[in-house]
Amino acid sequence: MDLEEITFSGWTAIEEKKLHAGEKPKDEKVYTMYHGTFLKYVQRIITSGFQRSSDGMLGSGVYVSRNIDKAKCYPLNADKKEAVVLKLKVRVGKVKKIDIDNHPLQKSWHQNGYDSCWVPPNCGVTAIKSGREEDCVWDPARIVVVDVACCLDDKTRWDLRKQIRGMNNHGAKDGCSQCHQNTSNTGSHPIQSCWTCNKQICPFQKKHMCNK
């Protein structure tokens, strides 16, 4: 497995490198993904989490993508002023690849023991006209909102980011307050003080700058 080292004061965190567009998500890993939705729904998502859709191309679940351009296409036919793209951390669990039309598990992957499913880019699934990859996650608790990736109104984006930081700092939705990874299946992360600046850090966060 390809790994990269991320070093900061007193700690070295190991995490998986970013996947290439056509590379399958590895079981049980955490990935950055995106979700496009209406602005009017964002505050509820931040405070209460996602809700599974009742149906869709891949059945019931929360639809996300590692491709931000895919997320920018949603909601369909929405005024861009009313659309927001959320940046997420997603713990994918056990992943099923769906790469053909009418796949036997296209809508029943969860009932067959999978936590999420993945449609590779340009695989020929006719329902995805753009050819961009798509993911569907069964359990909303596997998803943590970490930022606002796209929002036309600067003040709204700032207010939403402030709300997200506030929720994460209070441990909402089973997310680590420092690295923002979903901890619902792993237990809380060991938050400790940096031995240089004494700021609270998580050994799994990507970077840390000491306050001097």
Side-chain angles (χ1 to χ4, degrees):
M1 180 172 64
D2 291 335
L3 298 174
E4 63 178 353
E5 289 190 348
I6 304 169
T7 305
F8 47 88
S9 182
W11 296 92
T12 299
I14 305 295
E15 73 165 21
E16 195 166 9
K17 286 185 177 180
K18 184 177 180 180
L19 295 177
H20 298 297
E23 191 175 351
K24 180 183 176 181
K26 294 180 174 61
D27 290 354
E28 305 302 337
K29 298 300 181 182
V30 177
Y31 296 102
T32 297
M33 298 192 188
Y34 302 91
H35 176 85
T37 188
F38 284 105
L39 174 60
K40 62 183 179 181
Y41 298 142
V42 171
Q43 286 198 348
R44 178 182 57 77
I45 291 172
I46 292 172
T47 57
S48 302
F50 285 95
Q51 294 182 355
R52 279 192 299 270
S53 63
S54 58
D55 199 3
M57 183 193 75
L58 299 170
S60 179
V62 181
Y63 285 76
V64 295
S65 179
R66 302 201 314 265
N67 188 324
I68 190 172
D69 291 325
K70 170 79 172 181
K72 286 179 180 179
C73 296
Y74 292 87
L76 295 174
N77 304 317
D79 186 325
K80 292 302 180 184
K81 293 181 180 179
E82 300 299 322
V84 173
V85 176
L86 296 173
K87 183 179 180 180
L88 318 168
K89 288 291 185 182
V90 180
R91 185 175 298 279
V92 294
K94 188 177 180 182
V95 182
K96 179 61 182 177
K97 181 168 73 171
I98 306 293
D99 57 356
I100 58 172
D101 284 332
N102 302 313
H103 190 287
L105 298 186
Q106 183 165 330
K107 292 194 175 187
S108 59
W109 44 271
H110 175 67
Q111 290 80 357
N112 283 271
Y114 294 92
D115 301 300
S116 59
C117 67
W118 170 65
V119 180
N122 303 310
C123 66
V125 173
T126 55
I128 302 181
K129 306 299 183 184
S130 67
R132 296 172 178 139
E133 72 107 53
E134 186 162 340
D135 305 78
C136 187
V137 181
W138 173 260
D139 186 358
R142 290 182 171 274
I143 305 171
V144 175
V145 179
V146 297
D147 198 4
V148 176
C150 299
C151 178
L152 284 185
D153 184 77
D154 289 339
K155 184 180 185 304
T156 299
R157 181 170 62 250
W158 172 259
D159 289 343
L160 291 173
R161 282 177 168 170
K162 184 177 180 181
Q163 186 176 2
I164 290 168
R165 287 195 299 269
M167 292 297 294
N168 286 334
N169 286 340
H170 286 86
K173 296 305 296 177
D174 298 318
C176 175
S177 62
Q178 302 300 317
C179 72
H180 308 305
Q181 291 187 26
N182 190 327
T183 58
S184 59
N185 294 321
T186 62
S188 60
H189 288 171
I191 305 302
Q192 303 183 32
S193 296
C194 171
W195 62 17
T196 299
C197 69
N198 291 321
K199 183 178 179 180
Q200 284 195 325
I201 57 174
C202 171
F204 298 104
Q205 69 190 70
K206 288 187 175 182
K207 60 183 178 180
H208 166 65
M209 298 296 292
C210 287
N211 296 326
K212 296 183 178 179

